[in-house]
Amino acid sequence: MTKLDMSWDLSQMVDGASATEVKKKIEEKTKGFEKLVETYSKKIPDMSAAHIASMIEEFEEAIVETSNYMGYARLRYSADTTDKEARELNYTQNNASSRISSARTKLEIALGKELLKRKELLEAKELADVVHYFERLVRRAPYRLSEQEEALISEKDVSGIETLYQLQEAWVSQKTFEVEIEGKKKTISLPQMSSLRMDPDRSIREMATKKLYESYAHDKLLHSTALRGICADHVAISKRRGMPSAMTQSLLDQDVTEETVMALLDAIEGTASRFQEFLKLKAKFFGFDKLLGHDVIAPWTTEPTWTLEYPQAKEIVVDSFSSFDGEIGKVIQDMFEGKRIDAENRVGKPNTAFCAGWQKAKKSFILMSYSPTLGDLYTLAHENGHAAQGHMIYQTQRPINYRGSSCMAETGSIFGELLLTEKLLAKSEEDDQKLEVLSNVLNDFYYTTYYVATRALFEIELYKNIEQGELIDAELACNEWQAAKDRIFGDVVDWTEYMEWEWARIPHFFFPNYRFYNYSYSFAQMLVFAVYEDYKKGEADFNERFRKLLASGGSKSPAEQIEEFGYNLSDPGFWELGPRTADRLLADLKKLI
């Protein structure tokens, strides 16, 4: 397997255009978008429902065209933050993104105001398939500022919070580490060092964990300043908008209520003993009195039984999806054959994994760093699950409804992990293979449901401190992170030195204008494990209902989508459904111990 085989081909997005040509296209498309908004924004009060429908179609076409070149620039930079040309492209698209955001906000402010005046537009047959988008504009309307203020906010973000985020991301992604493993000294990248935290060898895990987080501690001024600046900016802007809390923006973005989010977090904290019992079982299996911090995400097996090289990983991931649904299997096959997955390990590549939509072609791109570990195999399945969901949305929805709540965006990805689990268990010839798979999927469930919920608890307390006038420095951030972990882990783990710096490794805390993102992962994990129980029952209409769920995008709220599938989000018992799947898998694991 060559590096070329593990890299994507982004040139197909822009028909092989040079960086200079892409910059020109970004400017051209951005100006076109701004002109479109200028043409329509003042005419909206005099437009009929049919005219508004026509305007929305032009708006969608402009968004798709503009996002094509800007998406290329973002992905070029994500693939290699050390590349000067990529940095210049990303700078261009960042500025264009700010302008487009300002223009879009201007149009949506005008639309929101008109919708408040003319409620009958929400009932117009010409606008039936964008009604939920309109409903969200109406909910957001009270928090919109003037056109000039919104433009100023977008402009200051480019050189403010977006620059802080890029600085932190680029600084971290360029790190290298000198390590000695099995008597061999070598230099490795950040993603490779991060992978070693899950090495079967406990001494290697400890070394990797300490070295990794010590590097964050060493750069504490950078990380704490970026965190403080981005969070303080969010609080200030939220207050200026008159939002009730620092979470309001997230609730509007994710299309959920605060009651739903807090019910989820309360349920997680209230059932944390389940997670703690799992960790105690893990310690017992290892023969330890108690787990140390670097054992929490460690594999249960010291000798990995699943060490698939990339070609084999590709084969089994495609097979997992194909066994469930032939059409989806072809979509995943095309991800590999179409060279839209970048899985190579290299310096300058951020320590992250994501799936990005290519709206113009109705396809997706995946970035990750693949090593022959079971964890990375699951990441490959996870991101391809996003691609599968993206395909269903692109084939069903119009562009204005492509983007939905992050609470639902993980549905395809987590379900993909469970399909992979099913395939690996079927292929397992030895109990050790089954044990590695079951322990891995349970590790992921408990990690995503409980450990990731720690991030949401941390953010809530972080913003309380800001509201109370506290300075968010490195010490306070570390203390709040540890306090949040204590609420979930109790006293069942002795934390490894420097692990109070975990917060600095998590990119979600630094995403500009995207606060409280983490609870959506826990939401999705609970949801998909509940959905999987239906799948295992073998109900005849499951595939049809599930494909519809995947394809909903932003056309309905999460509550509406889940109700249509067959659940009631307001039912207190809903959050108990997911853990039942985990309980069943845990029972299977216990049989192997």
Side-chain angles (χ1 to χ4, degrees):
M1 177 62 66
T2 66
K3 288 185 177 181
L4 189 62
D5 293 325
M6 295 180 70
S7 301
W8 55 23
D9 175 17
L10 295 178
S11 67
Q12 58 190 302
M13 294 183 74
V14 294
D15 296 324
S18 67
T20 300
E21 291 170 327
V22 170
K23 288 179 186 178
K24 288 180 180 178
K25 280 291 185 181
I26 290 175
E27 179 62 22
E28 173 192 320
K29 299 297 181 182
T30 302
K31 283 183 177 179
F33 186 82
E34 290 172 327
K35 184 177 180 181
L36 178 70
V37 170
E38 196 62 38
T39 299
Y40 280 115
S41 58
K42 293 179 181 178
K43 296 181 179 180
I44 290 175
D46 301 318
M47 293 171 69
S48 66
H51 286 150
I52 291 176
S54 177
M55 176 193 72
I56 293 294
E57 288 180 4
E58 287 189 58
F59 175 67
E60 289 175 314
E61 183 179 346
I63 284 289
V64 169
E65 281 293 321
T66 307
S67 68
N68 191 62
Y69 293 97
M70 292 173 60
Y72 169 82
R74 280 193 296 269
L75 293 178
R76 273 281 307 268
Y77 178 71
S78 294
D80 187 358
T81 61
T82 66
D83 184 284
K84 185 175 185 292
E85 189 172 80
R87 289 201 303 270
E88 291 173 350
L89 273 171
N90 194 51
Y91 179 77
T92 298
Q93 79 82 20
N94 267 336
N95 281 287
S97 178
S98 173
R99 289 164 57 190
I100 287 170
S101 176
S102 293
R104 180 168 184 161
T105 298
K106 179 179 180 179
L107 186 68
E108 291 184 339
I109 287 174
L111 259 177
K113 286 180 179 178
E114 197 60 27
L115 289 166
L116 286 173
K117 293 177 184 176
R118 288 196 279 164
K119 297 286 180 63
E120 66 272 14
L121 288 172
L122 296 173
E123 306 294 331
K125 62 180 181 180
E126 299 95 331
L127 301 168
D129 56 354
V130 296
V131 68
H132 189 64
Y133 166 68
F134 281 179
E135 288 170 346
R136 295 181 73 179
L137 289 183
V138 169
R139 288 199 296 273
R140 193 179 289 272
Y143 308 117
R144 296 287 197 186
L145 301 176
S146 69
E147 179 186 325
Q148 185 178 24
E149 286 174 307
E150 293 287 358
L152 286 171
I153 288 172
S154 293
E155 288 175 17
K156 67 90 182 166
D157 283 352
V158 173
S159 299
I161 56 176
E162 289 177 11
T163 297
L164 282 174
Y165 165 64
Q166 289 172 30
L167 171 64
Q168 198 267 350
E169 179 188 45
W171 185 274
V172 169
S173 66
Q174 294 180 46
K175 280 185 173 294
T176 58
F177 299 85
E178 302 295 325
V179 299
E180 183 175 341
I181 300 175
E182 296 179 348
K184 295 181 180 179
K185 294 182 178 180
K186 54 184 176 180
T187 302
I188 62 174
S189 66
L190 182 75
Q192 290 171 314
M193 176 61 92
S194 188
S195 291
L196 288 178
R197 294 179 302 127
M198 291 163 277
D199 194 271
D201 187 316
R202 197 184 197 197
S203 63
I204 292 177
R205 290 200 305 271
E206 181 178 16
M207 175 276 295
T209 300
K210 286 183 176 180
K211 274 184 173 287
L212 180 68
Y213 290 120
E214 184 181 15
S215 74
Y216 286 98
H218 183 267
D219 300 328
K220 63 182 181 181
L221 184 61
L222 169 71
H223 302 304
S224 61
T225 300
L227 182 72
R228 179 170 64 249
I230 292 168
C231 292
D233 177 90
H234 174 70
V235 170
I237 297 301
S238 294
K239 286 183 176 179
R240 183 169 290 275
R241 292 185 183 283
M243 291 179 169
S245 75
M247 192 183 283
T248 303
Q249 181 197 30
S250 171
L251 301 175
L252 292 169
D253 288 343
Q254 305 311 329
D255 207 7
V256 293
T257 65
E258 186 167 358
E259 290 74 20
T260 296
V261 174
M262 297 314 296
L264 167 66
L265 295 178
D266 287 345
I268 290 172
E269 191 170 359
T271 59
S273 58
R274 266 176 157 149
F275 180 36
Q276 293 166 17
E277 286 303 314
F278 173 74
L279 294 173
K280 289 178 182 177
L281 179 66
K282 187 174 185 177
K284 181 180 179 181
F285 176 78
F286 282 162
F288 304 153
D289 292 332
K290 185 184 283 191
L291 292 182
L292 300 180
H294 53 270
D295 298 321
V296 172
I297 61 173
W300 284 51
T301 51
T302 55
E303 294 294 333
T305 59
W306 296 97
T307 54
L308 302 183
E309 295 297 334
Y310 193 66
Q312 290 73 44
K314 165 190 169 182
E315 181 180 345
I316 200 166
V317 167
V318 171
D319 191 27
S320 297
F321 284 96
S322 297
S323 297
F324 169 67
D325 185 286
E327 179 189 344
I328 291 178
K330 290 178 181 177
V331 171
I332 306 307
Q333 181 75 37
D334 184 59
M335 287 296 298
F336 290 95
E337 293 180 353
K339 295 191 68 62
R340 297 196 305 280
I341 300 177
D342 187 26
E344 180 195 352
N345 273 291
R346 58 177 172 270
V347 174
K349 191 175 184 180
N351 182 30
T352 189
F354 63 77
C355 178
W358 180 14
Q359 293 183 9
K360 189 172 183 178
K362 297 187 176 182
K363 298 179 185 292
S364 300
F365 282 89
I366 288 172
L367 179 137
M368 65 170 294
S369 299
Y370 186 83
S371 297
T373 66
L374 190 62
D376 282 355
L377 178 61
Y378 269 88
T379 298
L380 188 61
H382 179 101
E383 298 305 335
N384 272 287
H386 279 304
Q389 186 166 356
H391 169 80
M392 298 303 299
I393 291 171
Y394 290 146
Q395 299 305 313
T396 309
Q397 302 296 337
R398 55 187 298 173
I400 205 76
N401 291 331
Y402 281 169
R403 184 179 176 185
S405 169
S406 294
C407 294
M408 306 304 295
E410 299 296 326
T411 307
S413 56
I414 298 172
F415 195 79
E417 293 181 28
L418 290 171
L419 291 176
L420 175 63
T421 298
E422 194 172 87
K423 184 62 63 175
L424 291 174
L425 289 175
K427 287 181 174 290
S428 296
E429 298 176 351
E430 304 290 340
D431 283 352
D432 284 351
Q433 291 178 303
K434 293 179 181 178
L435 188 145
E436 187 178 8
V437 171
L438 287 169
S439 60
N440 182 79
V441 75
L442 284 166
N443 256 3
D444 279 355
F445 171 77
Y446 287 116
Y447 179 93
T448 305
T449 302
Y450 293 93
Y451 208 166
V452 172
T454 298
R455 302 178 187 178
L457 298 177
F458 168 72
E459 278 195 279
I460 289 170
E461 295 305 315
L462 203 62
Y463 285 105
K464 283 182 181 177
N465 277 281
I466 294 174
E467 292 283 358
Q468 294 167 4
E470 296 289 340
L471 175 69
I472 304 300
D473 58 11
E475 182 180 3
L476 186 145
C478 288
N479 288 340
E480 289 294 358
W481 178 252
Q482 189 58 53
K485 285 199 295 187
D486 289 344
R487 290 168 66 178
I488 296 296
F489 287 86
D491 60 357
V492 301
V493 176
D494 283 339
W495 294 101
T496 306
E497 186 180 10
Y498 297 115
M499 285 193 75
E500 66 273 21
W501 290 94
E502 284 177 295
W503 60 268
R505 186 189 65 83
I506 300 167
H508 307 77
F509 294 144
F510 301 94
F511 290 161
N513 293 318
Y514 213 47
R515 308 290 82 208
F516 291 99
Y517 176 72
N518 292 284
Y519 66 76
S520 60
Y521 286 110
S522 300
F523 185 111
Q525 193 78 38
M526 290 283 223
L527 168 65
V528 177
F529 265 56
V531 167
Y532 192 70
E533 280 298 286
D534 272 1
Y535 171 59
K536 294 301 290 182
K537 291 175 186 175
E539 296 178 353
D541 66 340
F542 178 84
N543 276 38
E544 180 184 347
R545 288 190 296 129
F546 188 66
R547 286 168 64 94
K548 190 173 183 180
L549 185 68
L550 289 182
S552 294
S555 64
K556 298 180 179 72
S557 71
E560 290 170 322
Q561 292 180 43
I562 292 168
E563 183 177 6
E564 198 170 78
F565 186 81
Y567 297 132
N568 183 356
L569 195 57
S570 63
D571 182 354
F574 170 74
W575 302 115
E576 273 295 315
L577 298 176
R580 289 180 191 171
T581 295
D583 289 344
R584 177 174 56 78
L585 293 171
L586 184 58
D588 290 341
L589 177 64
K590 287 179 177 178
K591 293 175 185 177
L592 300 172
I593 296 176

